[in-house]
Amino acid sequence: MTAAPRPSSVANPHIVDLFAGPGGLDVAATWLGVPVVGIEWDANACATRRAAGLETQQGDVRDFGPADFPEANVLAGGPPCQTYTVAGTGAGRMALERVLRLVKSMSVGERVDHRLARFDDERTGLVLEPLQWALHAHGSGDPYEAIVLEQVPAVLPVWVAMGEVLEGLGYSVATGVLRTEEYGVPQTRRRAILLARYGDEVQLPLPTHRPYRKGIARDLGSVDLKPWNTMGDALARTRGYGFSVVSNYGTGGDPKARGRRTSNEPAFTVTGKVSRNRVVDTLGTEVARFTAAEAGRLQTFPIDFPWSGGDIAQQIGNAIPPRLGAQILASALGMIHAIDDDFLGDVMERRWSGSMRSVVPSRD
């Protein structure tokens, strides 16, 4: 079988990150040495970004466009997921057909701003903002060289539809749902990913770790893949003992049957309710619940990442795990051969210094 062509690297990449949150993708970019500016409206997330030194434009993504970030040649974004999640209102999932029709309208040059405003929950339409940016940049004669988008699995049909539009503009596109534990994240979480490269081949990153299967030993599976990382691995510096986590959510369709995982397993998906999960030791004695630093660590943020502002658990739960972010960014930028498990493990263990740049004041 002929090997897949190796994508060339994006020359001098500079990322504009829409809906940047507290900085999951921006931390990943910093690890890779790639400049990034994030757009974020939430004051709490901006407080964290300010403390972390991540370059930020505070404001509504809809108030900006490609011309406001002329140095950016890479577009990234993780639009709000609340209306598409199973745990959320479901408004986005119910409106999926409308969203897909709007993608088609946008592909033929129709203005859809007035229709985006008609969603019962305005967050539903925000999933289309990255396509608006990509179309505007292409129409101006300065297309983004790479595009990276992530969301909950329910949004995959939207990414596929957007991918078809981008292919018509000259992009190579790869879409799919990735399992975070297969990329070394000590947590089971699934994310719908779109990667696009203008004029070059692109592919999703290949798994580096075995998939988690309850009841299956972590040392069983493909010899070509590493065992999944565990909560015990991630929290070895703060919890030097075995423990179990009792989920805040029900399992098996029974809201009273709380799921349970041991420290020898990956964490449940870290959500904004992570602070409600009970933690017990091996004797069944309840111990301290996860701190913000520990919850962030399960997301693969550095242990000393400076979480700030309010609603910190929600900030942590909303973020893309930086370790996964680094691998999808590296794939999109043609840098995947430059990073490996040792590299990611090393940067995660370093003290966080960030880019040491201040948040730009809000736009009036």
Side-chain angles (χ1 to χ4, degrees):
M1 180 181 293
T2 303
R6 177 173 169 176
S8 60
S9 298
V10 172
N12 301 314
H14 194 299
I15 302 169
V16 57
D17 182 13
L18 315 184
F19 315 103
L25 202 67
D26 304 47
V27 167
T30 301
W31 287 344
L32 297 174
V34 176
V36 57
V37 56
I39 304 175
E40 177 55 45
W41 73 273
D42 179 69
N44 290 321
C46 284
T48 292
R49 297 179 65 87
R50 182 179 296 109
L54 296 171
E55 185 174 353
T56 305
Q57 177 67 65
Q58 185 172 353
D60 191 324
V61 164
R62 293 169 293 188
D63 293 335
F64 301 94
D68 295 306
F69 304 90
E71 72 286 357
N73 57 358
V74 178
L75 177 68
C81 66
Q82 290 88 342
T83 68
Y84 293 94
T85 61
V86 174
T89 65
R93 287 178 282 119
M94 290 185 287
L96 189 58
E97 289 303 317
R98 287 176 59 194
V99 173
L100 294 176
R101 287 197 297 271
L102 287 173
V103 171
K104 186 173 182 179
S105 296
M106 293 167 67
S107 72
V108 295
E110 293 183 20
R111 293 190 61 83
V112 299
D113 293 353
H114 62 293
R115 281 184 275 176
L116 292 177
R118 294 177 186 169
F119 286 107
D120 293 336
D121 189 320
E122 66 176 0
R123 293 175 297 182
T124 296
L126 292 176
V127 73
L128 298 176
E129 283 301 310
L131 182 58
Q132 299 238 55
W133 280 60
L135 291 171
H136 289 166
H138 188 273
S140 72
D142 191 19
Y144 290 108
E145 295 182 45
I147 299 172
V148 177
L149 304 178
E150 62 90 19
Q151 245 276 14
V152 294
V155 174
L156 183 62
V158 181
W159 289 169
V160 171
M162 284 188 183
E164 293 174 356
V165 176
L166 293 172
E167 287 173 341
L169 301 179
Y171 286 88
S172 168
V173 178
T175 58
V177 174
L178 304 186
R179 299 165 56 122
T180 57
E181 82 275 13
E182 292 189 88
Y183 297 87
V185 179
Q187 172 195 172
T188 54
R189 188 185 191 103
R190 298 168 67 238
R191 303 304 289 179
I193 304 297
L194 178 149
L195 302 183
R197 280 289 300 276
Y198 192 67
D200 276 316
E201 291 298 312
V202 71
Q203 62 183 18
L204 297 175
L206 297 175
T208 55
H209 293 66
R210 296 169 192 152
Y212 169 73
R213 295 285 188 273
K214 190 169 183 62
I216 303 297
R218 71 186 292 234
D219 58 352
L220 295 179
S222 171
V223 296
D224 297 324
L225 299 174
K226 297 176 181 293
W228 64 71
N229 284 330
T230 71
M231 289 186 282
D233 296 330
L235 304 181
R237 284 198 280 171
T238 58
R239 305 226 175 203
Y241 54 87
F243 60 86
S244 294
V245 176
V246 183
S247 174
N248 184 58
Y249 292 101
T251 185
D254 182 356
K256 295 182 179 180
R258 303 302 188 186
R260 181 183 291 254
R261 288 193 186 170
T262 73
S263 52
N264 291 322
E265 298 173 282
F268 295 104
T269 298
V270 174
T271 71
K273 295 180 175 61
V274 62
S275 59
R276 301 184 188 180
N277 292 342
R278 294 172 47 232
V279 183
V280 297
D281 64 18
T282 54
L283 298 178
T285 302
E286 191 151 340
V287 295
R289 300 186 181 191
F290 291 141
T291 65
E294 289 177 320
R297 187 64 170 169
L298 295 176
Q299 281 274 59
T300 66
F301 282 87
I303 192 68
D304 62 344
F305 194 70
W307 300 102
S308 303
D311 214 1
I312 289 176
Q314 193 65 53
Q315 290 185 52
I316 295 170
N318 285 348
I320 182 174
R323 184 174 181 133
L324 176 65
Q327 290 169 91
I328 62 175
L329 277 178
S331 291
L333 302 179
M335 300 170 61
I336 196 66
H337 297 277
I339 67 170
D340 57 22
D341 206 53
D342 289 338
F343 167 83
L344 291 170
D346 178 52
V347 294
M348 285 171 57
E349 291 298 329
R350 296 178 189 169
R351 288 188 59 81
W352 174 254
S353 61
S355 57
M356 309 312 294
R357 286 172 287 191
S358 299
V359 171
V360 178
S362 302
R363 171 177 283 194
D364 294 331

